Amino acid sequence: MPAEVLQNTLRVERARRDLTQEQLADLVGVTRKTINTVENGRFVPSTLLALKLARALQVPVETLFFLAPAAGTK
Amino acid sequence: MTERDQLDRSRRRMLLGFLVGFGVWEGMSIARALLGRASLPGVVRHGLFVVSLVGWAYCCVQLIHMIRWGRRVRRDPELTASLNDERVELARLKSWRVGFFAVLVAQAIPLLAPIPAIVGGRLTILVGLTASIGSYLAFDRE
């Protein structure tokens, strides 16, 4: 089974809606640091937080989070 | 910067301050207990005591800040929830795990080196607390 990693378009979607990390954090009830670590892929959010983020950005959760092949795998 | 981020930042500062204060306090106390058995000059012994006292005082100040911080946060359940979001909870869990294994390792030190039981106990507390708070600060980084 090929290795896959979770990636996200959070930064893009946030920018599209002209929101700062602080504003988005406010909308979903987390700290700005959490938003930043999710954007950088350092923290993988729970399903609950992923759904909250998708709702706040008004996009389907699959648009926000998707699986991509890990670097170095075909 | 929002109030939430300010509180998040101040929590980090308080923990770091507490870590430094506690490390100095207990570190110097352990050094005094270990070196005290040898014939140390009075100036060195008193110097270690004074540094240890400063560490203790700094630690107490940070504890007072933490209590006040906790009271302020508890007044607002929404703020409490967001300051303890899942990333923070995860960092906390991981740091407890680091602290647990650090304590296990610290327990082996008296087996390898003949140190008084009281020093062994203090060393265990120092290692456990330093490892868990230190690793929390590392996991909590952006």
Side-chain angles (χ1 to χ4, degrees):
Chain A
M1 195 174 167
E4 288 175 313
V5 289
L6 185 70
Q7 290 193 344
N8 68 77
T9 55
L10 190 59
R11 196 186 301 269
V12 177
E13 295 298 335
R14 181 174 60 76
R16 192 171 286 163
R17 300 202 67 79
D18 213 15
L19 287 170
T20 63
Q21 287 185 343
E22 283 181 356
Q23 287 167 332
L24 182 59
D26 242 4
L27 286 172
V28 294
V30 295
T31 56
R32 186 198 56 78
K33 223 186 271 180
T34 300
I35 300 295
N36 189 40
T37 49
V38 172
E39 280 187 2
N40 294 332
R42 284 193 62 213
F43 173 64
V44 177
S46 67
T47 314
L48 182 68
L49 182 54
L51 287 168
K52 279 184 185 174
L53 287 166
R55 189 175 59 189
L57 294 167
Q58 295 172 2
V59 288
V61 74
E62 304 93 314
T63 308
L64 215 49
F65 296 96
F66 56 91
L67 289 170
T73 57
K74 288 182 182 175
Chain B
M1 189 187 287
T2 60
E3 186 193 13
R4 182 186 296 134
D5 287 322
Q6 276 175 349
L7 287 165
D8 188 38
R9 204 174 267 198
S10 60
R11 169 170 59 189
R12 206 178 154 76
R13 262 201 312 269
M14 284 182 305
L15 282 172
L16 187 62
F18 181 80
L19 182 66
V20 171
F22 191 80
V24 170
W25 169 30
E26 279 299 308
M28 290 302 130
S29 300
I30 290 169
R32 265 178 62 223
L34 285 176
L35 300 173
R37 290 186 297 169
S39 54
L40 265 183
V43 178
V44 177
R45 259 187 292 126
H46 291 311
L48 286 175
F49 175 73
V50 170
V51 175
S52 163
L53 201 65
V54 171
W56 172 79
Y58 192 62
C59 202
C60 287
V61 169
Q62 296 307 318
L63 267 177
I64 292 165
H65 281 314
M66 278 184 210
I67 292 165
R68 287 172 60 192
W69 185 93
R71 277 192 191 147
R72 186 174 160 195
V73 168
R74 267 195 296 274
R75 262 185 255 140
D76 186 347
E78 212 172 286
L79 196 61
T80 310
S82 61
L83 281 166
N84 295 298
D85 62 24
E86 57 186 69
R87 184 190 55 82
V88 174
E89 292 287 340
L90 183 69
R92 221 172 261 159
L93 270 174
K94 280 156 75 175
S95 62
W96 276 114
R97 191 166 58 196
V98 170
F100 172 75
F101 284 107
V103 165
L104 284 187
V105 171
Q107 287 294 304
I109 295 171
L111 301 174
L112 304 169
I115 53 171
I118 193 153
V119 175
R122 293 185 99 153
L123 199 62
T124 305
I125 294 169
L126 176 66
V127 169
L129 216 126
T130 310
S132 50
I133 295 179
S135 58
Y136 172 79
L137 291 171
F139 292 134
D140 186 50
R141 259 188 327 198
E142 277 186 79

